[in-house]
Amino acid sequence: MLKFFARAILRRYHPRIVGITGSVGKTSTCAAVASVLGGSYRVGWSGKNYNSEIGLPLAIIGCSNPGTDNPIGWLVVLGRACARLV
C-alpha cells in the first residue's frame, strides 16, 4: 500500500530527484545538498537512511517510520499520504 501512495505522489507532483550513492558519507552529503538546494527550491528529504521497501515510500510521503507496534502511527502515515494526493 505504501508503494501505491508513493507512486501516486510521484506521478502527481513530478519532482526532480537527486540520488546520492557511495559507501561513505551519504547522510552528511544529503544534508549538505538539501541545505544548498533549500535556498532556491522546496526540498524534501528523509534526514535518515531509509533505503528499504518501506523507507523509500515513507520518505516520498514525508513521514518517519512509526514502528511495527504503532497502528495509530501507521494510520497517520496513510492519512498524510491521502492528504498529499488531494
Side-chain angles (χ1 to χ4, degrees), residues 3-64:
K3 188 188 295 187
F4 167 79
F5 281 115
R7 283 183 180 171
I9 289 169
L10 291 176
R11 276 191 216 114
R12 177 172 177 148
Y13 294 103
H14 303 287
R16 292 187 178 170
I17 299 172
V18 175
I20 297 172
T21 64
S23 57
V24 178
K26 289 181 295 297
T27 304
S28 300
T29 303
C30 284
V33 169
S35 177
V36 169
L37 293 178
S40 302
Y41 303 98
R42 278 191 296 165
V43 175
W45 72 295
S46 64
K48 295 186 179 186
N49 182 359
Y50 286 144
N51 297 331
S52 69
E53 289 183 17
I54 294 175
L56 180 59
L58 286 173
I60 293 169
I61 293 168
C63 295
S64 60

